[in-house]
């Protein structure tokens, strides 16, 4: 059945925690203290499938389970195929490692000159500042690191990372990630952002966080003041399904926007979660209504135990075909694969170019109609740049 949503409805309320005082419910410290982290806690609230029970028993040897009360409310406890449930509750598929799967699927450790800092691209670095998250996605690329279930024993070295950035003037862009940077205290975030902003060659500071989605209560006025102080701080949040776009998240995004934080969204293409054009279209439309620009759709990385969640790449390409031209361009993200082993992000697009010759580029639009655009109106093509030429093999999927 096609996915149909009520576009006027935004999820609200405390759900099964309606007895909790509103002051506690709206406290991010309370949400963290009351996370569901054990099989016993989970079974107090719902009946698990045999696959889920086996996954929970295995979780602490791979990636710990943790779900905030706020986010747990979004799970349909009667439906094992609930898209939120599939993302958060371990399943026995996590115990199976395919031949192509890796502990470090995008080669971060091999590009790490300082522990906790990844320098893969020429002008930017990834700064891992914690190994903790408010909740743990079962397809996490850094499941070797976050929650320490695999004894990775990651301890961020802030000063070593900051010193490396200071000593490398080619670094103009710093992305704070982890774990989740927004789990750091206001004091630590203020210090880190202040140190980065004081480095003359650092022009662009970003944060990658799923805290607004898992724990929107963390987006306090005090935190927003820190972002104002050191801004502009850009932020990529991570939502995968329109059910995650609640009124509480919408309010948190507005607070961030009004604090001068430009917002983008990163989704991961997941089997039977969002590998459907109707679901993805509903998601991107909700995002733009929340002041969030859809930025990336990632093909799920080849992390160990993820095969049961990885969607077919062709589904992603088909979704892109059905978004481009069928909705506003602001709602169309970029579909990418983070090349296995450390090759970086590679765009994966439907093929619109049919031919490039010396006279013109030939292409089709979103309706499949063919068009021609001249390369050089005033004479023959003079460039010998190989990038201007391609053959049929290059433009085929």
């Amino acid at each position: 059945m096609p996915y149909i949503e009520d576009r006027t409805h935004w999820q609200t309320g405390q759900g099964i925690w309606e007895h909790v005082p509103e002051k506690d419910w709206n406290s991010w410290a309370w949400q963290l203290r009351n996370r569901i982290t054990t099989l016993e806690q989970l079974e107090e609230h719902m009946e698990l499938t045999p696959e889920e029970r086996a996954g929970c028993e295995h979780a602490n040897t791979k990636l710990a389970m943790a779900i905030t009360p706020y986010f747990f409310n979004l799970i349909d406890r009667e439906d094992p195929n609930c898209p939120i449930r599939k993302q958060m509750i371990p399943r026995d598929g996590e115990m199976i490692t395919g031949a192509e799967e890796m502990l470090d699927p995008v080669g971060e450790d091999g590009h790490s000159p300082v522990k906790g800092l990844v320098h893969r691209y020429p002008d930017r670095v990834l700064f891992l500042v914690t190994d903790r998250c408010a909740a743990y996605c079962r397809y996490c690329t850094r499941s070797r690191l976050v929650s320490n279930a695999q004894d990775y024993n990651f301890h961020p070295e802030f000063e070593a990372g900051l010193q490396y950035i200071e000593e490398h003037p080619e670094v103009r862009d710093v992305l704070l990630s982890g774990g989740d940077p927004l789990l750091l205290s206001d004091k630590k975030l203020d210090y880190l952002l202040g140190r980065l902003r004081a480095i003359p060659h650092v022009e662009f500071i970003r944060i990658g966080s799923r805290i607004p989605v898992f724990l929107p209560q963390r987006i306090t006025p005090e935190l927003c003041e820190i972002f104002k102080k050191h801004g502009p701080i850009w932020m990529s949040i991570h939502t995968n399904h329109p059910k995650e776009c609640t009124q509480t998240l919408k309010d948190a995004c507005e607070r961030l926007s009004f604090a001068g934080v430009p917002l983008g969204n990163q989704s991961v293409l997941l089997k039977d979660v969002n590998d459907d054009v109707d679901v993805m279209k509903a998601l991107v439309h909700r995002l733009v209504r929340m002041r969030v620009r859809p930025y990336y759709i990632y093909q799920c990385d080849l992390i160990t135990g993820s095969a049961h969640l990885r969607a077919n790449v062709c589904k992603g390409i088909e979704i892109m075909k059905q978004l481009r031209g069928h909705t506003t361009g602001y709602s169309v993200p970029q579909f990418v694969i983070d090349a296995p082993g450390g090759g970086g992000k590679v765009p994966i697009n439907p093929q619109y170019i049919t031919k490039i010759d010396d006279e013109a580029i030939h292409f089709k639009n979103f309706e499949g109609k063919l068009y021609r655009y001249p390369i050089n109106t005033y004479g023959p093509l003079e460039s010998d740049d190989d990038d201007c030429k391609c053959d049929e093999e290059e433009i085929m999927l």
Side-chain angles (χ1 to χ4, degrees):
M1 289 181 59
Y3 178 79
I4 301 174
E5 66 158 351
D6 181 352
R7 294 166 62 183
T8 65
H9 176 71
W10 296 83
Q11 169 82 22
T12 59
Q14 297 180 198
I16 59 177
W17 283 274
E18 61 183 359
H19 61 284
V20 173
E22 186 176 352
K23 181 180 178 181
D24 288 338
W25 179 258
N26 291 327
S27 161
W28 68 285
W30 183 93
Q31 290 281 337
L32 287 175
R33 284 196 304 269
N34 289 275
R35 290 182 300 173
I36 294 171
T37 59
T38 67
L39 173 61
E40 292 72 26
Q41 287 176 303
L42 200 55
E43 290 190 316
E44 287 178 14
H45 298 293
M46 61 187 293
E47 183 177 344
L48 300 176
T49 66
E51 294 78 13
E52 289 172 328
R53 201 171 203 289
C56 290
E57 291 172 343
H58 172 73
N60 284 332
T61 65
K62 179 183 184 288
L63 174 65
M65 178 180 69
I67 313 171
T68 59
Y70 160 81
F71 204 68
F72 184 84
N73 270 340
L74 305 186
I75 293 175
D76 185 337
R77 290 172 289 149
E78 305 301 320
D79 180 11
N81 294 314
C82 166
I84 309 300
R85 183 167 171 167
K86 284 190 169 186
Q87 294 181 61
M88 303 312 301
I89 298 179
R91 301 200 178 200
D92 59 359
E94 294 182 23
M95 303 159 64
I96 302 169
T97 299
E100 73 284 1
E101 295 176 347
M102 298 168 271
L103 279 173
D104 181 18
V106 296
E108 291 179 338
D109 290 346
H111 291 86
S112 184
V114 173
K115 190 170 184 180
L117 190 138
V118 180
H119 193 172
R120 177 193 298 159
Y121 298 101
D123 70 337
R124 50 204 185 275
V125 295
L126 170 67
F127 198 174
L128 305 177
V129 296
T130 179
D131 69 341
R132 303 292 151 165
C133 295
Y136 295 113
C137 309
R138 306 319 305 174
Y139 50 88
C140 178
T141 294
R142 299 194 189 108
S143 57
R144 72 190 187 282
L145 181 157
V146 299
S147 85
N148 201 35
Q150 300 186 39
D151 294 322
Y152 191 84
N153 291 318
F154 172 74
H155 300 286
E157 299 178 5
F158 291 162
E159 294 306 320
L162 289 166
Q163 183 179 347
Y164 180 90
I165 296 168
E166 288 170 341
E167 293 174 351
H168 287 76
E170 71 274 19
V171 176
R172 52 169 291 279
D173 177 356
V174 178
L175 169 60
L176 298 182
S177 188
D180 202 306
L182 295 192
L183 279 189
L184 298 180
S185 67
D186 285 357
K187 184 176 180 180
K188 282 188 176 179
L189 278 170
D190 190 19
Y191 173 77
L192 269 176
L193 294 175
R195 284 287 303 275
L196 290 169
R197 190 55 76 195
I199 300 173
H201 53 267
V202 172
E203 303 169 356
F204 191 36
I205 301 174
R206 296 181 285 157
I207 293 175
S209 176
R210 207 173 185 192
I211 285 290
V213 181
F214 286 150
L215 190 65
Q217 295 84 359
R218 173 67 179 105
I219 311 303
T220 62
E222 294 78 14
L223 180 64
C224 290
E225 285 302 315
I226 291 171
F227 293 148
K228 282 184 184 179
K229 175 181 175 183
H230 301 293
I233 306 297
W234 295 61
M235 187 178 296
S236 291
I237 67 170
H238 175 179
T239 63
N240 290 323
H241 194 277
K243 282 185 68 173
E244 299 170 39
C245 300
T246 67
Q247 183 65 49
T248 311
L249 174 58
K250 184 172 183 286
D251 293 343
C253 289
E254 292 210 336
R255 289 194 294 275
L256 288 167
S257 293
F258 295 158
V261 179
L263 294 170
N265 182 72
Q266 301 180 145
S267 298
V268 177
L269 190 68
L270 298 169
K271 185 178 180 181
D272 299 327
V273 171
N274 59 10
D275 60 337
D276 175 272
V277 67
D278 293 325
V279 171
M280 195 61 77
K281 190 176 287 187
L283 172 61
V284 298
H285 287 173
R286 286 210 169 234
L287 287 168
V288 294
R289 294 169 69 192
M290 299 193 309
R291 304 172 188 268
V292 181
R293 170 76 157 89
Y295 179 38
Y296 279 144
I297 299 175
Y298 281 99
Q299 178 65 18
C300 186
D301 292 327
L302 297 174
I303 190 69
T304 54
S306 62
H308 63 296
L309 285 168
R310 292 202 307 271
N312 190 312
V313 176
C314 295
K315 284 280 189 80
I317 295 171
E318 183 59 31
I319 287 169
M320 296 307 300
K321 287 173 68 175
Q322 294 302 314
L323 290 179
R324 176 66 61 190
H326 295 274
T327 188
T328 176
Y330 278 111
S331 296
V332 181
Q334 176 71 67
F335 181 40
V336 296
I337 294 178
D338 212 333
K345 299 176 186 67
V346 179
I348 307 297
N349 291 309
Q351 293 304 305
Y352 296 102
I353 299 172
T354 59
K355 183 175 67 171
I356 299 178
D357 55 34
D358 287 349
E359 296 181 353
I361 179 171
H362 305 256
F363 57 93
K364 56 187 176 182
N365 74 347
F366 73 100
E367 297 172 308
K369 296 177 180 177
L370 294 173
Y371 295 86
R372 174 187 179 278
Y373 186 89
I375 286 179
N376 190 337
T377 307
Y378 302 103
L381 181 69
E382 295 180 357
S383 172
D384 58 0
D385 186 347
D386 288 341
D387 289 342
C388 289
K389 301 175 183 179
C390 65
D391 54 30
E392 290 186 4
E393 288 186 4
E394 289 178 306
I395 61 175
M396 290 179 64
L397 290 177

